[in-house]
């Protein structure tokens, strides 16, 4: 019997086909049952495209180094103070490579997820297959493949400020980490970082310190932003020197002056600096450096004062709130009214004003998001209050968050540790559930383990959030075909819940539902049937017949009855589930589509082959339209449909499903293995 599990929310989908051969296609034994959570179509979690659209002015004062980089090879490190222009220089170098037709990949390195995900994406771009990536030697294989590429090419690793992340599977200094020296002579690796520690980087890379711009070049940066209205270049140069030649400070000051000078003089606030000289005088008379004496804080203070003068009294409050999120775009819809005293209209205009002055980056196309400048975030780090999980969890209608989950996940999983309260762990559990619902099974397993273990360490035994975290982890394990591990996790979870006073009965029901699925995937049909039968009897009293967990148990029992050749009883049970699901959730809900596919299989077992095939085709079309072609639900439906087709068509469809599952889950995943075995059995039935 071949197993083809997909997992979602509170239940595991099983496409089940048992018995011998129907026609010339061997069936695969699988169960599908109800979905508890919904999710949007799968979305890419990383991009390796350079940020060509980044707003900027001409690069100043780096011509000599830029020329060297455009003809260089090997690994080069640009290091220096935040805001010194490292990323701008790397982007300008990338433009040169791209203009010459060379491939350019850009990997963000602010955290381990984006770094590893970006490098895996690069690995796919240079030809590595999913089964090679799944073998656990991604770093070695990536650098072997990069070293064999004909040049030129460019790989940028941006914002690699935490060098420990670059160790990856080995050691950065020893040349066995995520960043290495490419073997070939045509490739360039360019890393931007604040850390220029020679010992940490090792002997291989060439390190280039980026310092302050000289007065004349700094003045040009000011003029690029502020324009001619702010005064002559002779006045700009003393201000550039006073600002320490730091491009970020120069850019911020230039933006400020531009925002003032664009208005007629009679509309300006008295004393508001509108020229280079006036701005310099406003900074005070003490010597200003850029390495910790508060220059940027003074610049930002002037910008905030300007905003207050323009009626944006809550600008700093907004910056402090944004500092409570991860270093990633924040969707505006998560802001809780009780956390902010700013009316929605004023909130938007305040964000626009902050964006104009360069303190935040606001993107209004599509889903509105805002991202705090990392240096501004650093300024509030000491008083940062972790708000992201609380804000997201307090949204009254969870369905409103469905399009936001790809954006919310980095925030909900950010900075998990002893200081995170119950609300924070609840948000993290929801993030893991989102990963599973969107078909990101392998990441859901990895994150699910971390959240489950973390919640268990920091919350009391038997706490409902610990139980919820364990359910999500077990759910993800089942989706990845690791049913033995899932059964172990769920058994322990149920045992601990029984020993703890006041455990959440609804979550215990879900854990038992998942345990029944694990038993079925392990092949113990009688144990699974007994578990689901007991659940249906108990849940009907506790929850009511229309509860989704009760319906999930009934759907799972129906598929087991079908496998035990009690197909009439199975169809009766499945009809109950389908009627309730359609009434409660709608005909195209994810749960309802799962039930329809299960029912199609039972119909085929009853001899209604044509009706079963038509229903299966409808489910494949609906899932593909809603979730995308590579979502595990869509692939499971295509697998089941293949068992209802003629041999030649079935063989082609199974080959396509195998290719997609290898790409999504890896070569050795049990679900992929089951698909490969089904394809081989089908191949043997073909003539010739």
């Amino acid at each position: 019997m071949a197993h083809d599990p997909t997992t979602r929310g509170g239940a595991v989908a099983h496409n089940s086909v048992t018995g011998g051969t129907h026609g010339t296609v061997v069936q695969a034994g699988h169960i599908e049952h109800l979905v508890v959570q919904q999710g949007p179509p799968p979305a890419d979690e990383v991009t390796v495209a350079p940020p060509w659209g980044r707003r900027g002015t001409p690069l100043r004062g780096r011509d000599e180094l830029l020329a060297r980089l455009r003809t260089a090879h090997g690994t080069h490190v640009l290091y220096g103070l935040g805001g010194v222009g490292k990323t701008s220089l790397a982007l300008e170098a990338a433009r040169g490579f791209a203009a010459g037709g060379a491939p350019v990949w850009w990997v963000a390195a602010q955290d381990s997820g984006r770094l590893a995900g970006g490098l895996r994406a690069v690995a796919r771009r240079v030809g590595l297959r999913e089964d090679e990536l799944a073998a656990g030697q991604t770093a070695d294989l990536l650098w072997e493949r990069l070293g064999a590429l004909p040049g030129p090419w460019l790989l940028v690793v941006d914002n690699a400020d935490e060098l420990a992340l670059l160790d990856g599977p080995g050691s950065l200094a020893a040349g066995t980490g995520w960043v290495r020296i490419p073997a070939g002579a045509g490739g360039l690796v360019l890393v931007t970082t604040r850390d220029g520690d020679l010992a940490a980087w090792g002997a291989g890379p060439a390190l280039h310190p980026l310092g302050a711009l000289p007065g004349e070049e700094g003045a040009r940066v000011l003029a690029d932003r502020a324009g001619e209205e702010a005064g002559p270049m002779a006045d700009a140069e003393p201000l550039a020197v006073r600002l320490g030649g730091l491009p970020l400070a120069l850019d911020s000051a230039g933006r400020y002056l531009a925002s003032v000078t664009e208005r007629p003089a009679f509309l300006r606030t008295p004393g508001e600096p509108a020229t280079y000289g006036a701005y310099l005088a406003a900074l005070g008379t003490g010597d200003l450096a850029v390495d910790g004496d508060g220059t940027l804080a003074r610049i930002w203070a002037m910008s905030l004062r300007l905003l207050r003068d323009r009626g944006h009294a809550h600008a700093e409050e907004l910056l402090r709130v944004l500092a409570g999120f991860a270093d990633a775009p924040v969707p505006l819809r998560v802001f809780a009214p009780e956390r902010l005293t700013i009316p929605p209209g004023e909130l938007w205009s305040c964000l626009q004003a902050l964006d104009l002055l360069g303190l935040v980056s606001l993107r209004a196309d599509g889903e509105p998001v805002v991202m705090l400048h990392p240096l501004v975030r650093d300024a509030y780090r000491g008083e940062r209050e972790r708000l992201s999980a609380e804000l997201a969890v307090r949204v009254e209608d969870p369905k409103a968050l469905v399009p936001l989950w790809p954006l919310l996940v980095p925030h909900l999983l950010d900075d998990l540790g002893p200081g995170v309260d119950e609300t924070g762990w609840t948000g993290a559990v929801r993030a893991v559930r989102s990963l599973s619902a969107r078909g990101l099974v392998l990441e859901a397993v990895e994150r699910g383990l971390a959240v489950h273990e973390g919640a268990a360490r920091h919350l009391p035994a038997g706490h409902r959030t610990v139980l919820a975290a364990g359910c999500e982890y077990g759910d993800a394990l089942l989706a990845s075909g690791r049913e033995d591990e899932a059964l172990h996790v769920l058994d322990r979870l149920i045992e601990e819940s029984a020993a703890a006073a006041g455990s959440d009965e609804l979550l215990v029901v879900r854990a038992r539902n998942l345990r029944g699925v694990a038993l079925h995937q392990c092949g113990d049909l009688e144990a699974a049937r007994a578990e689901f039968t007991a659940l249906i009897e108990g849940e009907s009293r506790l929850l009511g017949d229309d509860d989704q967990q009760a319906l999930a148990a009934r759907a799972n029992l129906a598929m087991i009855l079908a496998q035990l050749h009690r197909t009439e009883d199975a169809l009766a049970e499945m009809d109950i589930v389908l009627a309730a699901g359609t009434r409660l959730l709608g005909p195209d809900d994810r749960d309802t589509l799962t039930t329809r596919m299960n029912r199609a299989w039972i119909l085929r077992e009853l001899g209604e082959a044509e009706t079963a095939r038509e229903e299966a085709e409808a489910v494949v079309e609906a899932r593909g339209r809603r979730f995308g072609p590579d979502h595990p639900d869509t692939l499971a439906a295509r697998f089941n449909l293949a068992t209802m087709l003629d041999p030649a068509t079935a063989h082609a469809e199974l080959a396509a499903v195998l290719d997609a599952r290898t790409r999504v889950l890896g070569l050795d995943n049990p679900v992929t293995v089951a698909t490969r075995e089904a394809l081989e059995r089908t191949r043997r039935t073909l003539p010739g």
Side-chain angles (χ1 to χ4, degrees), residues 229-312:
E229 295 297 321
M233 291 291 288
D235 290 344
E237 188 166 339
L239 175 57
V241 172
R242 193 64 168 273
L243 292 173
L246 184 68
L248 175 66
L250 297 166
D251 183 83
S252 183
R255 286 174 185 268
Y256 175 95
L257 291 170
S259 71
V260 174
T261 58
E262 69 182 6
R263 286 176 284 124
F266 64 88
L267 293 179
R268 299 173 191 167
T269 302
E272 191 175 37
T275 65
Y276 299 125
Y279 195 102
L280 179 61
L283 285 175
T285 58
D287 289 337
L288 295 179
V290 295
D291 56 353
D293 72 346
T295 296
L296 292 179
R298 297 187 194 193
I299 293 170
W300 294 330
M302 293 181 68
S303 296
L304 289 171
R305 187 161 57 248
L306 172 63
L307 291 173
R308 285 195 298 271
D309 290 344
R310 294 182 178 178
H312 300 295

Side-chain angles (χ1 to χ4, degrees), residues 109-271:
Q110 288 96 327
D111 55 63
S112 59
R114 276 182 278 187
L115 173 64
L119 290 173
R120 289 191 181 100
V122 173
R124 295 184 185 95
R125 297 287 184 91
V126 298
L128 286 175
R129 303 187 309 274
E130 289 297 329
D131 57 301
E132 294 176 301
L133 296 177
Q137 298 178 347
T138 302
D140 290 342
L141 294 171
L142 169 62
W143 289 100
E144 287 175 9
R145 188 62 60 92
L146 286 173
L149 289 178
W153 52 264
L154 172 64
L155 169 62
V156 177
V157 181
D158 192 33
N159 289 319
D161 296 329
E162 188 176 344
L163 297 192
L165 297 180
L166 301 186
D167 285 332
S171 166
L172 173 65
T176 58
W178 275 123
V179 172
R180 306 181 184 181
I181 309 298
L188 172 64
V189 180
L190 195 55
V191 186
T192 72
T193 177
R194 299 186 190 192
D195 195 344
D197 183 3
L198 291 173
W201 283 103
L207 271 64
H208 306 280
L210 257 64
L213 293 175
E216 182 178 353
E217 295 297 333
R220 293 182 183 277
V221 174
L222 283 170
D224 289 336
R225 282 295 186 201
E228 298 178 354
E229 295 297 321
M233 291 291 288
D235 290 344
E237 188 166 339
L239 175 57
V241 172
R242 193 64 168 273
L243 292 173
L246 184 68
L248 175 66
L250 297 166
D251 183 83
S252 183
R255 286 174 185 268
Y256 175 95
L257 291 170
S259 71
V260 174
T261 58
E262 69 182 6
R263 286 176 284 124
F266 64 88
L267 293 179
R268 299 173 191 167
T269 302

Side-chain angles (χ1 to χ4, degrees), residues 518-569:
L519 287 168
H520 178 247
Q521 285 187 208
C522 289
D524 194 342
L525 292 184
E526 281 302 326
R529 184 193 61 77
E531 184 76 77
F532 289 129
T533 300
L535 277 172
I536 291 169
E537 294 174 354
E539 290 174 17
S540 295
R541 291 191 298 270
L542 175 66
L543 308 172
D545 291 334
D546 282 348
D547 179 80
Q548 289 189 357
Q549 287 294 335
L551 292 171
R554 192 179 291 277
N556 282 329
L557 177 61
M559 296 306 291
I560 291 175
L561 291 174
Q563 286 185 272
L564 295 173
H565 307 294
R566 294 171 54 183
T567 47
E568 293 287 352
D569 293 338

Side-chain angles (χ1 to χ4, degrees), residues 261-506:
T261 58
E262 69 182 6
R263 286 176 284 124
F266 64 88
L267 293 179
R268 299 173 191 167
T269 302
E272 191 175 37
T275 65
Y276 299 125
Y279 195 102
L280 179 61
L283 285 175
T285 58
D287 289 337
L288 295 179
V290 295
D291 56 353
D293 72 346
T295 296
L296 292 179
R298 297 187 194 193
I299 293 170
W300 294 330
M302 293 181 68
S303 296
L304 289 171
R305 187 161 57 248
L306 172 63
L307 291 173
R308 285 195 298 271
D309 290 344
R310 294 182 178 178
H312 300 295
H314 302 286
E316 187 167 15
E317 174 192 354
L318 188 52
L319 293 178
R320 291 181 189 278
V321 171
L322 288 171
F325 290 84
D327 185 16
V330 181
L332 300 188
R333 277 198 279 171
V334 304
F335 287 112
E338 65 269 25
R339 276 290 178 185
L340 297 174
T341 58
I342 311 174
E346 186 177 341
L347 171 65
W348 180 247
S349 63
C350 188
L351 285 169
Q352 288 180 308
L354 287 167
D355 177 68
L356 181 65
L357 295 181
L359 300 181
V360 304
S361 177
L362 182 64
R363 191 179 73 222
D365 55 316
E367 182 65 42
V369 296
V370 61
M371 188 168 179
L372 186 64
H373 193 288
L375 286 180
V376 181
R377 187 172 184 267
D378 286 347
Y380 293 103
R381 186 175 298 276
E383 51 190 291
R384 178 175 180 248
E385 180 184 359
R386 188 180 187 276
L387 299 174
S388 55
E390 182 176 355
L391 291 170
V393 171
R394 287 186 178 180
V395 173
E396 292 183 2
D397 180 8
K399 290 187 176 181
L401 286 177
V402 168
L404 304 185
W405 279 114
L407 295 167
L408 288 175
V409 166
H411 303 292
L412 297 178
L413 296 176
D414 176 53
D415 200 19
L416 296 175
V420 179
D421 60 10
E422 177 187 351
T423 305
W425 288 112
T426 300
V429 171
R430 290 189 176 190
V432 174
R433 186 183 307 165
S434 164
L435 293 172
S436 291
R438 290 187 286 128
L440 303 172
V441 176
L442 300 182
E443 187 176 355
V445 170
E446 178 184 354
R447 296 290 199 167
L449 173 61
V451 172
H452 178 43
E453 291 181 342
R457 281 196 304 270
H458 300 297
L459 296 174
H463 194 285
R464 71 175 314 277
T465 302
V466 177
L467 183 55
C471 286
E472 294 306 332
Y473 178 45
D475 196 15
L477 286 170
L478 287 170
S480 67
R482 295 160 62 177
E483 53 268 3
D484 289 331
E485 294 175 62
L487 188 59
H488 174 73
V489 169
L490 294 164
D491 280 343
R492 187 178 61 191
L493 203 63
I494 293 168
E495 180 181 346
E496 292 173 352
S497 299
S503 289
D504 189 302
E505 289 185 272
L506 299 183

